[in-house]
Amino acid sequence: MHVGDTISVIASFGVPYRIRPVRFRWSGRLFEVKEVTYTWRAREGQREIYHFSVSDGRALYELTFDTGSLLWTVENLEA
Amino acid sequence: MSRIILCVDMDAFFASVEQQVNPRLRGKPVAVIGSSNRTVIVTRSYEARKFGVKTGMTVGEAKRLCPGLVFVVGDNEKYTHTCAELEKIHCRFTPEVEIYSVDEAFLDVTTTHHLFGGPGSIGCAVKAAVKEQFGINCTVGIGPNILIAKLVSDISKPDGLRWVRDDEVPALLEDLPVEELWGIASGTRRRLEALGIRTCGELGRAPVSLLRNKFGIIGETLKLMGLGLCNRSLLVRPEDPKSIGHSWTLPQDVSDRKRIEAYLLQLSEMVGRRARKYRFIGRRVTLTIRYPDFETFAKQATLPQHTNATHDIYESVLQTLDSIRLKDRVRLLGVSLSELVRDPDQMSLVRDKVREQALHSAMDAINDRFGDFKITWGAYLSQIEVPSVIAPAWKPSGVRNVHIRNKRQHVKT
């Protein structure tokens, strides 16, 4: 379980720019997203990277969704 | 017809964003700092302000005033994204929007406010939309011009909303200290004080001849400011820049010539790339140097022809550097290109220039596709970091939209 790992995510895609991670599986463990505290987009060349700061009630995770690779990653963790 | 201007100013912007991101920071004194070890306080939360923590203080100074202060390394990508989204909110109410800085915008709603229930309703709607989308607060000042809108916003913080109409301006200004006015800094305040002028009311009544004698051409502008008058239009469409530049406070003071050259090449590439991206060419190249004692000087050189080629800029700053005897190590380096004109895309007849243009186009195309600095000049491959400080004048579009990369850092306590 490392920061930088790619993860499986269940997310809802709502009105424009309202992607909301609902739960994610990281190294076999399931995490329920209790709060999405902030979302922002950044650009890496032509690829857009969506960032989600989410809390499961115990820790704060920064998840990213890369629109180029369609991969979700745990970018940061604050326990 | 009297104009109606809204000034939308985010409250403690970067700190509020960080408190929203991390629920554990909410209600705590928070200071946003840069990522270098020579950083200062960039902004601070309202909780930190109560302890006297101010922008520009060193971490040590701030910690002495507020031992419980939480330091957070700023994340520019969050702030620039939020600024770009804020512009979309503003544009729901009027096309006349000036993004003045990363956390401040002016909206001219003179001809649109009736569609939304009046200026006050627009102010409420903007505040609600910002709160709903980002969870943070802003203050809205409404007035008959940008001077009054900005003033009203400043004195209504935080989380305020106030509309000062034309006929209420004299009463607002009568006893207000002159330094509360946008554009009157401490130097001007001291010079006005020497004339016995302390309040805006006194400034408005001062004879224009007295002000002109003391301040020259801006004397008349000061008089108008004292009366609460300002005819500056909103800059809705970005004006062509006068210069394109980058500067960098180095991680450590540097005396080694090779390292200075590597930094200058990197800065020249950043300037050249931005000029090429927005299709400007310039003829004057300025090198700025700051020593550890903060003595700063700039020296310019004029090129035989306009350019945006990295190596033309780099060779010019190297020649300028050769003409200077450095008296100490270097704390900050800056490179800028000015006397700008639109690039007419003139094809060069010189074979080397054609090859150079092709090289820049290829490099820019690769970096556009894969991200900044994915392909770069070998001479600065040894550099370990790139500048990551956002300028307050950052804007979501135009030449001031500088892509600032983040350095990943966790919260420091």
Side-chain angles (χ1 to χ4, degrees):
Chain A
M1 206 175 209
H2 302 288
V3 169
D5 286 348
T6 53
I7 53 173
S8 303
V9 176
I10 293 175
S12 67
F13 286 68
V15 290
Y17 313 122
R18 291 298 174 93
I19 307 168
R20 187 187 160 85
V22 177
R23 61 178 69 100
F24 58 97
R25 189 178 293 279
W26 182 13
S27 284
R29 281 184 60 190
L30 193 64
F31 297 82
E32 289 284 337
V33 174
K34 295 253 174 68
E35 184 184 3
V36 179
T37 62
Y38 215 78
T39 64
W40 67 102
R41 278 195 314 276
R43 191 169 272 285
E44 184 70 33
Q46 287 180 346
R47 286 153 48 217
E48 278 200 319
I49 316 286
Y50 285 73
H51 295 251
F52 304 88
S53 177
V54 305
S55 168
D56 65 348
R58 284 173 296 185
L60 192 67
Y61 311 83
E62 184 183 326
L63 311 183
T64 58
F65 177 60
D66 183 332
T67 58
S69 64
L70 302 182
L71 288 175
W72 288 84
T73 304
V74 178
E75 185 81 15
N76 220 331
L77 166 67
E78 201 169 297
Chain B
M1 180 173 59
S2 176
R3 290 194 304 156
I4 300 174
I5 308 292
L6 272 70
C7 174
V8 182
D9 194 353
M10 306 308 293
D11 297 337
F13 182 38
F14 298 171
S16 298
V17 169
E18 296 303 337
Q19 287 179 314
Q20 182 58 28
V21 168
N22 187 345
R24 290 179 194 173
L25 298 179
R26 295 175 197 166
K28 290 185 180 165
V30 172
V32 176
I33 55 174
S35 58
S36 82
N37 53 2
R38 297 157 31 128
T39 187
V40 293
I41 308 295
V42 177
T43 189
R44 69 284 188 225
S45 66
Y46 282 96
E47 295 86 350
R49 292 174 198 210
K50 287 180 192 159
F51 290 86
V53 176
K54 292 195 166 77
T55 297
M57 279 182 173
T58 64
V59 168
E61 287 170 335
K63 195 86 181 168
R64 275 192 291 280
L65 285 171
C66 179
L69 189 61
V70 182
F71 296 96
V72 181
V73 175
D75 181 339
N76 296 316
E77 287 175 345
K78 284 177 202 148
Y79 316 142
T80 54
H81 165 79
T82 306
C83 178
E85 293 296 307
L86 289 172
E87 185 182 21
K88 292 178 190 169
I89 292 175
H90 303 329
C91 287
R92 291 179 199 165
F93 302 100
T94 171
E96 300 289 310
V97 175
E98 175 182 341
I99 304 298
Y100 181 72
S101 68
V102 70
D103 62 351
E104 210 169 16
F106 293 106
L107 286 63
D108 187 337
V109 299
T110 309
T111 58
T112 58
H113 68 87
H114 66 285
L115 299 170
F116 302 98
S121 298
I122 293 179
C124 282
V126 168
K127 285 173 64 68
V130 171
K131 187 78 179 173
E132 197 267 332
Q133 190 167 340
F134 301 105
I136 57 179
N137 293 323
C138 62
T139 293
V140 178
I142 309 173
N145 56 54
I146 60 169
L147 179 77
I148 298 300
K150 166 85 173 123
L151 170 66
V152 173
S153 151
D154 286 346
I155 61 178
S156 306
K157 282 187 156 294
D159 197 19
L161 169 65
R162 186 174 169 191
W163 180 9
V164 171
R165 292 161 179 82
D166 251 340
D167 57 350
E168 297 168 330
V169 171
L172 172 73
L173 295 181
E174 181 56 33
D175 297 320
L176 198 74
V178 287
E179 62 267 28
E180 297 281 343
L181 284 175
W182 188 27
I184 296 192
S186 55
T188 307
R189 179 188 60 78
R190 278 196 296 274
R191 293 172 71 194
L192 285 168
E193 210 170 272
L195 297 174
I197 298 169
R198 289 181 179 79
T199 66
C200 299
E202 290 166 347
L203 181 60
R205 285 189 292 275
V208 72
S209 55
L210 175 72
L211 296 170
R212 206 184 294 127
N213 280 344
K214 184 81 173 175
F215 296 95
I217 197 165
I218 67 154
E220 283 166 47
T221 308
L222 287 171
K223 165 103 180 163
L224 292 174
M225 288 168 73
L227 294 169
L229 302 172
C230 172
N231 58 9
R232 176 187 173 285
S233 308
L234 267 60
L235 301 173
V236 175
R237 282 155 286 279
E239 292 181 314
D240 281 355
K242 292 185 171 60
S243 66
I244 292 174
H246 287 273
S247 63
W248 190 358
T249 299
L250 308 176
Q252 292 98 31
D253 298 336
V254 173
S255 57
D256 177 59
R257 166 83 187 203
K258 286 285 169 209
R259 286 191 67 196
I260 290 173
E261 287 178 7
Y263 285 124
L264 289 176
L265 176 56
Q266 184 157 349
L267 288 164
S268 301
E269 165 66 2
M270 293 166 71
V271 170
R273 177 156 157 70
R274 192 146 63 102
R276 293 190 295 274
K277 182 174 179 182
Y278 293 99
R279 309 187 82 77
F280 286 102
I281 48 178
R283 207 165 154 232
R284 180 168 290 170
V285 178
T286 304
L287 168 65
T288 302
I289 290 175
R290 179 173 296 157
Y291 295 119
D293 63 2
F294 283 81
E295 181 190 335
T296 307
F297 72 94
K299 194 168 180 187
Q300 300 178 329
T302 303
L303 303 175
Q305 66 251 334
H306 287 78
T307 185
N308 54 19
T310 298
H311 274 84
D312 290 343
I313 299 166
Y314 177 57
E315 282 166 18
S316 174
V317 290
L318 281 192
Q319 283 173 16
T320 304
L321 184 65
D322 286 338
S323 70
I324 297 165
R325 191 164 165 196
L326 294 175
K327 69 165 200 179
D328 201 345
R329 290 164 299 147
V330 173
R331 177 186 171 87
L332 172 144
L333 287 167
V335 173
S336 73
L337 184 67
S338 55
E339 285 192 17
L340 299 177
V341 294
R342 291 270 171 190
D343 186 355
D345 261 343
Q346 178 77 41
M347 186 179 281
S348 176
L349 297 175
V350 182
R351 183 175 293 176
D352 285 352
K353 281 282 168 201
V354 173
R355 287 164 60 91
E356 190 180 277
Q357 283 172 354
L359 175 65
H360 282 125
S361 295
M363 287 179 67
D364 289 344
I366 290 168
N367 287 326
D368 285 345
R369 179 161 182 190
F370 296 104
D372 287 341
F373 298 105
K374 286 292 183 288
I375 183 165
T376 192
W377 306 95
Y380 62 69
L381 275 180
S382 58
Q383 302 288 111
I384 49 166
E385 49 189 337
V386 294
S388 61
V389 177
I390 189 171
W394 187 93
K395 295 189 181 188
S397 58
V399 76
R400 287 194 174 157
N401 181 343
V402 181
H403 182 206
I404 307 284
R405 294 173 65 93
N406 278 322
K407 281 173 265 184
R408 287 279 155 208
Q409 299 264 348
H410 295 272
V411 174
K412 289 181 184 174
T413 55

